[in-house]
Amino acid sequence: MPAARTPATTAPDADVIVVGAGPVGLMLACELAVAGVGVLVLERAADFDRRLRAPGITARSIQALDRRGVLDQLMKATAEAEPAYRTERDGDGRAPEMLPVRAGILEEVLYDRLVELGGRVRRGLTVTGLRDGTDGAVVTATDEDGTEHTFRACYAVGCDGGRSAVRKALGIGFPGGGPEVTGYQAVVTVEPEGALERTWRRTPRGIAAYAHGPSRIVSVEFDTPPVDRHSEVTLDEVEASLRRTSGVDVTLRDPVSLARFTGTCRLAERYRRGRVLLAGDAAHVHPPFGGQGLNLGLQDAVNLGWKLAAAVRGDAPDGLLDSYESERRPVAARVLRNSEAATRILHPGPENTAPYELFFKELMTDPAVKQRLHDVYAMKDVFYPMGTGAEPAAGLLGRACPDLLLERPRRDGGGTVRLATLQQEGRAVLVHTAGQAEFVALAAGWRDRVDPLAAERVSPDVPTPLLVRPDGYVAWTPEAGPGTTFVTALRRWLGAPLADD
């Protein structure tokens, strides 16, 4: 067993402790478990959080779930809970680019998958302390009876939200600010039926929306006095806000989910301190416009999972774990910038009316502008330099690999398969076609970390071979340019080859 897997002092309770069993924590735990890493998730709450935080998940998160074989279960569970949310794959079996989800369902599906993979979740534990050492992390937590428990691991990750106990224990700064906003998201019944138009509107009093799913409302008020963020959200509070912003005397009943948010944008000064890292809202918070927060956090987990697993196994190359912050923090900074921009342009003040009308009534009528904004909010245009320092180019290098259709050779069973169905083991893949056997031979030294995938043809037609990281991003193509050889990319992202090669 590699030395990196076991702290030098007391035997660990797990290879990695994840604090927080929300979608981000569970996604990270699944990514670690599929890579063979022992993971323990600690959660304060006794059950899943049923409050609606985002209307759904977008392309990159959907693709990540598809690669690990859990998307179909999520789609089924979502449709069973809300038939209006039924979503289908296309004719080739590719996943949709948007999937509405009911609150709590994603967590349930990820939890079931984690248990299937051998991961553990312990609920009713509030983290009270954390110590980072050279040989591991020590987490202390108190249960509902006040009994203190101590847990040891090689690494720990805080996925415990905007008021993260892990981040505070590390002393990592969380600077930021933003417009004074009090917003509400709720899943409720609105009466009388038809009183609210199913759309969203900017009114002189704020934003009123009733357009996202069969029973979801959003009410946003600006320049409001501070609200006690720790107080429980009440149905009366949400109803009063919606009446003010919509100008309609509606009545709300049968609350399924009540949530409050502010206009604050904050970004952790760093994502890592020693053997402890941050992900999701523990690293960044912002208003929920566009549902970016959930997807941003899920993609943090996907990026971090395989890198942290390599560090635990002891085969991570130098700098791999640090690349989590260098790749993900700029993405978060951009999301925060876009969230603050959206908040300010939606402000009902007369000084914002001209930019609001220019943007929504003119620019957004252009299909190209609408598509561009969709791609930005769905984070479809995320680019990682791949260690080359290169700027974004037209090729696939540094971008998410599409779900290619591979026409397999007869010796491999023939037929056409989607790339996503061949990535469930959490390893990197090498997509190659006839005449590229030399690359398979070069990758043999990494056969425990790379799966060669032969294809007679690839659709859409892209340059091959392709080295795709476990998180779905292309680490090398023939277009990589001089100085970035295939073996260089293997070493940069997957470490040294096996000792017998």
Side-chain angles (χ1 to χ4, degrees):
M1 183 177 291
R5 202 167 194 122
T6 306
T9 55
T10 307
D13 297 280
D15 293 324
V16 177
I17 292 173
V18 175
V19 180
V24 176
L26 290 172
M27 186 76 184
L28 174 60
C30 287
E31 289 292 286
L32 291 166
V34 81
V37 170
V39 60
L40 171 63
V41 182
L42 306 180
E43 170 58 46
R44 178 178 57 185
D47 198 359
F48 300 113
D49 187 349
R50 304 291 176 179
R51 293 172 296 173
L52 182 69
R53 299 296 191 181
I57 55 175
T58 51
R60 297 295 174 249
S61 302
I62 291 170
Q63 290 166 351
L65 294 166
D66 199 18
R67 283 195 301 271
R68 299 299 183 256
V70 296
L71 179 62
D72 286 328
Q73 181 57 39
L74 178 61
M75 292 169 65
K76 178 183 177 183
T78 298
E80 289 174 349
E82 182 53 73
Y85 288 172
R86 183 175 298 278
T87 310
E88 304 291 342
R89 294 179 179 272
D90 69 13
D92 292 321
R94 292 190 178 97
E97 291 205 346
M98 176 66 184
L99 178 63
V101 292
R102 278 285 196 182
I105 290 178
L106 176 58
E107 291 94 315
E108 291 178 0
V109 170
L110 290 174
Y111 172 81
D112 289 345
R113 179 56 175 157
L114 177 60
V115 172
E116 181 183 331
L117 292 168
R120 295 171 292 152
V121 177
R122 289 193 56 176
R123 293 187 174 275
L125 291 169
T126 299
V127 170
T128 55
L130 186 147
R131 186 172 71 254
D132 166 47
T134 58
D135 57 357
V138 180
V139 180
T140 56
T142 304
D143 64 22
E144 295 170 344
D145 296 327
T147 304
E148 187 173 86
H149 302 262
T150 301
F151 303 94
R152 293 175 173 81
C154 298
Y155 291 89
V157 185
C159 301
D160 51 340
R163 297 193 289 271
S164 169
V166 173
R167 187 190 64 243
K168 292 174 182 177
L170 294 175
I172 293 177
F174 202 41
E180 293 183 354
V181 168
T182 300
Y184 300 93
Q185 290 193 86
V187 178
V188 292
T189 298
V190 180
E191 293 181 339
E193 186 176 348
L196 281 183
E197 185 181 359
R198 282 195 172 271
T199 184
W200 72 273
R201 294 185 299 133
R202 176 179 181 262
T203 75
R205 296 158 299 281
I207 301 296
Y210 184 41
H212 308 283
S215 58
R216 177 174 177 250
I217 66 98
V218 175
S219 179
V220 186
E221 298 179 86
F222 296 79
D223 301 326
T224 53
V227 175
D228 181 1
R229 295 181 304 159
H230 304 285
S231 65
E232 183 178 353
V233 184
T234 67
L235 184 63
D236 288 345
E237 179 184 356
V238 179
E239 181 181 275
S241 176
L242 184 60
R243 287 184 174 191
R244 288 191 294 268
T245 57
S246 68
V248 180
D249 286 337
V250 294
T251 298
L252 306 184
R253 63 175 180 83
D254 303 330
V256 175
S257 169
L258 301 173
R260 183 193 297 119
F261 62 88
T262 72
T264 301
C265 294
R266 296 186 182 277
L267 180 62
E269 291 178 337
R270 55 195 301 181
Y271 280 20
R272 178 188 178 192
R273 178 157 288 165
R275 288 179 173 264
V276 185
L277 301 101
L278 304 173
D281 286 355
H284 41 71
V285 295
H286 57 88
F289 299 126
Q292 298 175 95
L294 171 60
N295 293 284
L296 180 63
L298 291 173
Q299 289 305 297
D300 286 348
V302 171
N303 185 285
L304 175 58
W306 68 278
K307 296 174 180 178
L308 188 53
V312 169
R313 292 192 305 262
D315 54 38
D318 290 344
L320 180 67
L321 203 49
D322 288 331
S323 74
Y324 163 61
E325 178 175 329
S326 64
E327 290 183 347
R328 294 303 300 169
R329 195 171 183 275
V331 178
R334 185 187 185 205
V335 168
L336 265 64
R337 180 201 68 184
N338 294 343
S339 294
E340 184 168 351
T343 305
R344 294 189 182 280
I345 203 170
L346 291 170
H347 190 291
E351 68 277 11
N352 297 317
T353 297
Y356 170 85
E357 292 185 346
L358 171 64
F359 185 79
F360 284 101
K361 296 186 178 181
E362 293 189 34
L363 295 179
M364 284 295 287
T365 62
D366 186 328
V369 173
K370 290 183 70 173
Q371 185 62 50
R372 173 61 180 157
L373 188 65
H374 169 77
D375 290 349
V376 168
Y377 270 68
M379 291 166 267
K380 291 178 63 177
D381 60 348
V382 167
F383 168 83
Y384 301 142
M386 290 298 155
T388 65
E391 294 296 321
L396 285 177
L397 182 66
R399 300 190 183 279
C401 186
D403 189 10
L404 303 172
L405 295 178
L406 309 181
E407 187 176 324
R408 301 284 271 163
R410 184 174 301 174
R411 68 176 184 275
D412 292 331
T416 300
V417 296
R418 293 185 301 112
L419 177 60
T421 66
L422 305 173
Q423 296 177 283
Q424 295 185 13
E425 300 302 317
R427 292 188 288 269
V429 296
L430 169 62
V431 179
H432 64 96
T433 54
Q436 296 173 344
E438 65 199 85
F439 292 95
V440 179
L442 288 171
W446 291 266
R447 57 186 173 273
D448 60 330
R449 285 156 277 171
V450 180
D451 293 330
L453 303 177
E456 296 290 345
R457 276 179 290 277
V458 176
S459 177
D461 186 18
V462 297
T464 57
L466 287 176
L467 178 63
V468 183
R469 304 189 319 188
D471 62 352
Y473 279 76
V474 177
W476 190 85
T477 79
E479 302 171 330
T484 309
T485 67
F486 178 60
V487 172
T488 299
L490 286 168
R491 288 183 173 274
R492 173 176 290 128
W493 297 111
L494 302 175
L498 294 170
D500 59 350
D501 287 271

